[in-house]
Amino acid sequence: MVLPYVILLLAFGVAPVVIAIATSLEPSGVNPDGGLGNYLYALTEFRFLPAAINVAIFLAIYLPSMLLVVVSVALMLDNLKPKVTLPLRLAYIVPAALTGSLSVLIWYILLEPTLSPYKDLLIGMGLTKSGQIWNTGNLAIIFVMMAFFTGAGNWIVVQYGSLQSIPDDLIEASIIDGASKFQIAMQIKLPLIRKYLLYMGVLVFAAGLQIFVEPQLISASVFPGLASDWSLNQLSYTFAFASNNLAGAAALSMVLLIVCAVAAILIVFKTDFFDRPKKAGRSK
Amino acid sequence: MTEKNQGQVLAKDSISPKVKFSFGGVATIIFLLAYAVFSVVPMIWLALAPSKNAAELVSAAPMAFGSPQGYLNAWNNLMTFEDGVLVTWIVNSIWYTFLIVTISSLSALSAGYALASTAVPLKRFLLSVTLVAMIIPAVALVLPLFLEVSAIGAFDTPWAVILPSSFYPFGVFLAYIHFSTSIPRDVYEAAKIDGAGEFATFAKIAFPLSKGLLGMLAFFSFSAAWANYFLPYVLLSSSANYTLPVGLGLLFSSTPSLNPLNGAQSSVIGRPEIALAGLLVGIPILIVFLLSSRFLVRGILAGAVKS
């Protein structure tokens, strides 16, 4: 019964990686010798470092702001009655419907001073032309806003759920002991959902490292060339489809995959996240 | 709001836990409400935009309603794009997504069951690989999948998108947790003693107890598949095979709707039309989210752990 899944796993999980490794060692136009030279080529290509810096800046803003806001909002919700927060939680997941190419469309509109629902705010800030917003220096922060807006709501609901799994009597005992809500949050709730936060951190990091759709669509269609080869995945795409260098593209995508795989293996084998699925839930 | 502010809010709140409207409590609620408004404004804008024409989008108030006729006009204009290829995209998105959700959910359900309650060779190894695969974002495999799909000659076919998207390690994990925690092992053992085979035990006992799980598997599979952009963008090349999100991208790169320098100046595909196409991408996800709010209410991870 496990067979259909194992076939899918081998065909679309393992096989592509094997093929990509093989491809990454083949000779290419820029590296006729093949082998590990393709990796050296990808990592020293003149666009690699700028793209790596872009992604690093993006992650440096995205990851902490995501964790901070998601945890803060989840804790705030957890202090209120579940019935009261239900409409709020439903509202928070609405942006998750605005993903991929639709997210690019939505943010084009939000940041276009003639169209935006927030046009008064933009104009009030002295931003009357989209060119003042959509320029190279602002790209990292714009992509953070896009990714944050789409992703934060779902994670708030997830982490709210993990807070709900903390037994009520534990919290009540702390209140009797005179702990403040802030102390309870910092000393009891957060440590108890630590592994869910870690899991979220790794997933957010891995997804952020692979950023592609937002910069690609912005520069392919809306503002031509604004964010070409802005991210590492875009560069890999350029190697494959613009420079006809499949070996270099495969090498670069393997580097990105290895970083994600190392993060995944660390969380699976070095933490207790997946050890005890029989976690006691909060009894209703 | 910074963590420190929030701390003060929570701390102040706790000084008088019995008083309902403490300053901190009010500030918290205002913040939560403001964030909710901020979350829904773009969706509402998108829903209203096709009711207005291109000029009204700029001149009218951003959240004003134009006329019902606007939606019809925008639709008719969209139909002029490549002989109404939009309809093909909608149909493609529906049947690709339907197959992905079906294959991925059923394969995950049966694999999760088998791993949790039967003797599968290499069980620990399979579980470890599944856990690692579930953390690696699907995007990381797009280029490797392109190499594979081209090598076997499946490039630019619907199966190039449907089959890879049906690989669903997260679903296997959810199902594994479900079957190893919420259904007592004795139930299976009793069935086996009564002479039921593995498959009969699954079909008669485990499956009927797993409707909630199946709903959750389908929900996550749907929300990933419907809006997926990168994989179909790379693995499909002809517009007749596109999905709605990839088509939306094509619409804004080949019409002057968002960038006046793109495409033919005479194109009738303007901003109201783009907004309507965007709405077609977003609304099904939103509807499924709201219908699935039962899972979301209980919390996703916690929900997976609890029965």
Side-chain angles (χ1 to χ4, degrees), chain A residues 50 90 173 244:
Chain A
L90 289 178
N244 203 15

Side-chain angles (χ1 to χ4, degrees), chain A residues 93-272:
Chain A
I93 56 165
V94 169
L98 307 171
T99 172
S101 51
L102 185 51
S103 148
V104 173
L105 170 63
I106 288 291
W107 280 90
Y108 166 79
I109 288 155
L110 289 179
L111 296 177
E112 168 57 53
T114 57
L115 290 175
S116 174
Y118 303 114
K119 62 164 96 173
D120 295 340
L121 184 68
L122 291 176
I123 293 167
M125 288 164 69
L127 301 166
T128 52
K129 293 204 177 70
S130 60
Q132 291 169 282
I133 299 168
W134 291 97
N135 58 55
T136 323
N138 291 340
L139 286 177
I141 191 82
I142 292 175
F143 296 143
V144 168
M145 292 195 292
M146 287 175 148
F148 179 90
F149 184 69
T150 311
N154 272 348
W155 280 117
I156 289 171
V157 174
V158 169
Q159 299 300 358
Y160 172 79
S162 49
L163 286 170
Q164 292 286 300
S165 69
I166 299 172
D168 279 330
D169 30 352
L170 198 60
I171 305 297
E172 275 154 25
S174 325
I175 294 173
I176 293 167
D177 288 349
S180 71
K181 279 190 181 172
F182 182 66
Q183 283 171 327
I184 293 175
M186 297 308 283
Q187 289 166 18
I188 296 174
K189 290 181 180 175
L190 288 188
L192 281 174
I193 63 162
R194 195 183 59 94
K195 58 184 178 179
Y196 295 107
L197 296 177
L198 186 69
Y199 175 65
M200 167 184 163
V202 170
L203 282 192
V204 168
F205 166 80
L209 182 70
Q210 303 279 348
I211 178 172
F212 174 85
V213 177
E214 294 86 352
Q216 181 74 8
L217 260 178
I218 282 294
S219 39
S221 49
V222 189
F223 301 103
L226 180 68
S228 309
D229 302 321
W230 188 88
S231 78
L232 294 167
N233 241 331
Q234 279 180 287
L235 186 57
S236 163
Y237 184 83
T238 300
F239 285 169
F241 300 100
S243 318
N244 203 15
N245 177 6
L246 281 180
L252 183 50
S253 70
M254 276 304 108
V255 171
L256 294 176
L257 183 68
I258 289 165
V259 175
C260 289
V262 168
I265 288 168
L266 281 180
I267 189 177
V268 172
F269 295 106
K270 295 287 170 194
T271 74
D272 61 351

Side-chain angles (χ1 to χ4, degrees), chain A residues 43-82:
Chain A
L43 297 179
T44 54
E45 216 268 355
F46 72 99
R47 288 167 292 192
F48 176 84
L49 190 61
I53 292 172
N54 288 337
V55 174
I57 295 172
F58 168 80
L59 280 172
I61 310 171
Y62 178 46
L63 192 55
S65 50
M66 195 74 166
L67 282 166
L68 188 65
V69 175
V70 167
V71 168
S72 310
V73 175
L75 284 169
M76 286 184 216
L77 289 174
D78 193 47
N79 277 331
L80 300 166
K81 287 203 178 75

Side-chain angles (χ1 to χ4, degrees), chain A residues 1 5 11 16 79 86 89 92-93 99 101 105 108-109 119 157 161 181-182 196 199 210 212 221-222 224 267, chain B residues 7 10 13 32 45 58 110 130 134-135 140 148 172-173 202 227 230 245 253 258-259 262 271 274 296-297 301-302:
Chain A
M1 286 179 62
Y5 169 68
N79 277 331
L86 178 59
R89 280 176 284 145
Y92 295 161
I93 56 165
T99 172
S101 51
L105 170 63
Y108 166 79
I109 288 155
K119 62 164 96 173
V157 174
K181 279 190 181 172
F182 182 66
Y196 295 107
Y199 175 65
Q210 303 279 348
F212 174 85
S221 49
V222 189
I267 189 177
Chain B
L10 295 177
D13 201 21
L32 291 174
W45 187 94
V58 177
S110 64
T130 299
M134 129 190 179
I135 292 172
E148 178 184 13
V172 174
F173 171 71
F202 174 71
F230 194 15
S253 54
L258 301 191
N259 174 5
N262 279 341
R271 288 158 170 172
I274 288 283
L296 300 165
V297 169
L301 284 177

